[in-house]
Amino acid sequence: MIYPEIFEQKTGFDKIRTLVGEKCLSTLGKERVGEMTFSDRQAVVSAHLEQTDEFVRILQGDRAFPSDHYIDLRTALNRIRPEGTFLDETELSDLKHSLQTIYDIVRFFRPDENRTAYPALTALAGNIPVFPQLIQNINLILDKYGRIKDSASESLLRIRREISATVGGISRSLQNILRTAQAEGLVDKDASPAMRDGRLVIPVAPAFKRRIRGIVHDESASGKTVYIEPEAVVEANNRIRELESEERREIIRILTEQTNLIRPSTPDILHSYAFMATVDFVRAKALFAIDIQAIKPRIDTRPLIDWRDAVHPLLYLSHRKQNKPVEPLDIVLDDENRLLIISGPNAGGKSVCLKTVGLLQYMLQCGMMIPVHERSQAGMFRKLLIDIGDEQSIENDLSTYSSHLTNMKFFVKHSDGDTLLLIDEFGGGTEPLIGGAIAEALLERFNRNRSFGIITTHYPNLKQFAEKTEGLVNGAMLYDRHLMQPLFKLSIGNPGSSFAIEIARKIGLPEEVIADAADRAGAGYIEKDKYLQDIARDKRYWENKRESIRRQEKRLEELNARYEQDIDAISRQRREILNTAKTEAKQIVVEANARIEQTIREIREAQAERERTKSARRELDRFKTSVQEEAPDTPTLAKKSRKKPAAAKQTAKPGGKQQPAAAGETLAVSDAVRIRGQQAVGTVLELNDRQAVIAFGMIKSTVKVAQLEKVSPSQVKKDADRISPVASRMADSMYEKKLLFRQDIDVRGMRGDEALQAVAYFIDDAIQTAAGRVRILHGTGAGILRELIRNYLHSTPGIRRVQDEDVRLGGTGITVVDLE
């Protein structure tokens, strides 16, 4: 059940339907878009979603899908049901192309790999009839331009040949007559035969029209030219007319004969056209899904909404044209929290959130994919009921509030555990006290019926009712109080503030009016509203921290996985290199032994002849030289595994620690050194008799020369390689923080503890990013906030000086902090 009848207009689905229709290739698909309806059957919805999801994968794949000649010929096919009727040449050509398209689509799903890759669409194409014989028959009588071929019948070939011959004779006769007339000056030199009423004529000036015997068929608009059919070609032109009539009768006979072959297959062809309409419809839904980055979520049979990163599709398309981002929504409605009460500032996104839920759920149950995260899960509702907007009616004598109550009456009567309620500005439109009471009573009834829903409101009693009632949960649309703009983020778990005071101050309402309003509302209400704001702010802060930690953990996991892959690859490469080196070494040994044996054998056979012996030895030396030349090409890792660096054993202990410099070894400026017993490596800047100034990074230190040991360049490089990954990550993180850090903060309007917390975070970030000077804007007022901040700053280490800003730049309203 969908209520009211204009549900699609209220949620914006009518625009979705139009956008999908524009992506169809034919009226066949557009009709299916118009027939798309809401379904509460999980099997039907899942089947439609599976078809669309498979088509998305087809469109994103490498193999082209048939997308030409989606032509609707149902009217023509229904017209030829009676005997004696026929399809004309254009209709027959369109029928051939559309039947070929259907054949190509069915053949696309016939290969075994497509049956497994696209099971839903393959099943859809399983029993669809195709007509290759009809296509072949039509190809025999039509050319590629859709005209009847000369070879369609012997009679047609004879007629067209005779027409061609007759036309050729007429043309020759006219050329002779035209040349004679030109020679006599009756016709212009550049004149040529023309066609009037299907007959060949020559243009003649009116003054000479009686000089040429024939029939006048036409004259020009200016009256300066008349078109005469010479008497000599009249009979030939008459014969052409007769032949053209014979040709038309023969073409009709051929078309009728071909139509008689098609007529028995008309029901099957119409069935195939219904399949092509479905394919066009599914293709349009898939194209739209790609356009809005939609996916097929997991479908549950019970009522459920568990969406991550849900986006309103129309808002997404609109913002994409303007290169603006859309803030996604995370929404959960389950058995524990069925009714979500959303509060927050005006123009903060409450109605957009409500419409997003209504539109996406309706799209889903119409068989369309929706723009949510792949981890999302969706359920099925039998009833979608919405109350949004102003439905006052003068004709029906309904005010705004009366129309809302009429809708609530319908909701109470029909809502149950399979209902999704969407109510905007619940209880509004009347006196707040009684309106809030009625809304609370209705809310209690909806909860008793175990209905699901999204309800937006400003009423405090509804927020309190949701806080203490099982099955209900509060939600808030977040608002940035410092930038004075909505964030369009939904936070579930706490009620939201309307930020009425802040918005009034931003608009520029006089401060005395705002103060008077606050007094009238009472300190308790104002404090409660501020507490709500503080809760929202703190929650947003910790959510951002959690998200930052999650991103860092994900990055670390990726780095860890990459390092493990690199280690595995290096291990495999090492084994391959060693195996290759061993194989090559064995081969060299085998060849060497063979060569030595051959040399010995030659020496023995030569019986110690000097020249032969020398020759054998030279051959052996050449082989030895070739082996030595190939030795440098031996894999590096294998050589290193066999190498025993004696020098390294003498100068380094296990663990890679550098030994103290030998007695009498002197240090020089720019040498790399470390303090004995420590790992940090520094650079010598200055040398005195017994002391040296060493730079460890950005830190300078004076150390006794006797406590220093010189570090070799290779050891410095090893230390740098060991430390560089960690240092690189820390440097990247710090560099990003420096780029994003702003050297001033505005704490005006904050309470004392809130301002001190913000300043503490700010000073910590300033010290980390090595900011030399920062500014804190606290305003003048009574000076209480300024004093609290100054007391805190004086007690904080790392601060060199605290002073007022220059009087021209704000004076005592701004505190300037110089950091050490």
Side-chain angles (χ1 to χ4, degrees), residues 505-613:
R505 185 174 285 117
K506 176 185 177 183
I507 291 174
L509 207 63
E511 194 64 34
E512 58 271 18
V513 174
I514 296 175
D516 188 21
D519 292 339
R520 292 173 183 271
Y525 178 82
I526 298 299
E527 285 298 319
K528 182 178 70 175
D529 197 53
K530 284 189 176 181
Y531 286 143
L532 288 176
Q533 297 174 16
D534 292 342
I535 291 171
R537 185 200 65 241
D538 292 343
K539 185 175 182 181
R540 186 168 71 252
Y541 173 80
W542 290 114
E543 284 179 349
N544 291 336
K545 285 288 186 184
R546 182 176 61 186
E547 180 64 20
S548 176
I549 293 171
R550 188 191 65 80
R551 287 197 301 267
Q552 291 179 6
E553 288 179 346
K554 184 177 180 181
R555 184 181 177 189
L556 288 175
E557 289 174 359
E558 293 173 352
L559 287 173
N560 188 41
R562 190 174 69 187
Y563 290 154
E564 289 180 353
Q565 291 175 358
D566 291 345
I567 290 171
D568 292 340
I570 291 171
S571 299
R572 286 195 302 271
Q573 185 179 8
R574 180 179 183 277
R575 288 193 297 271
E576 292 173 359
I577 290 172
L578 288 174
N579 291 334
T580 303
K582 289 178 180 178
T583 303
E584 291 177 356
K586 288 180 181 178
Q587 184 66 27
I588 290 172
V589 170
V590 171
E591 291 181 3
N593 290 334
R595 188 61 59 90
I596 291 170
E597 290 175 359
Q598 181 181 355
T599 302
I600 293 172
R601 185 171 61 254
E602 289 177 354
I603 291 173
R604 286 177 178 174
E605 291 174 355
Q607 295 181 353
E609 292 182 8
R610 180 171 297 178
E611 292 301 323
R612 294 285 299 275
T613 302

Side-chain angles (χ1 to χ4, degrees), residues 55 91 183 205 247 286 348 423 433 442 481 500 533 588 745 767 806:
F55 219 113
E91 292 170 340
E247 178 189 31
I423 306 174
L433 184 61
L442 288 168
R481 192 169 62 183
Q533 297 174 16
I588 290 172
I745 183 174
I767 293 174
D806 188 279

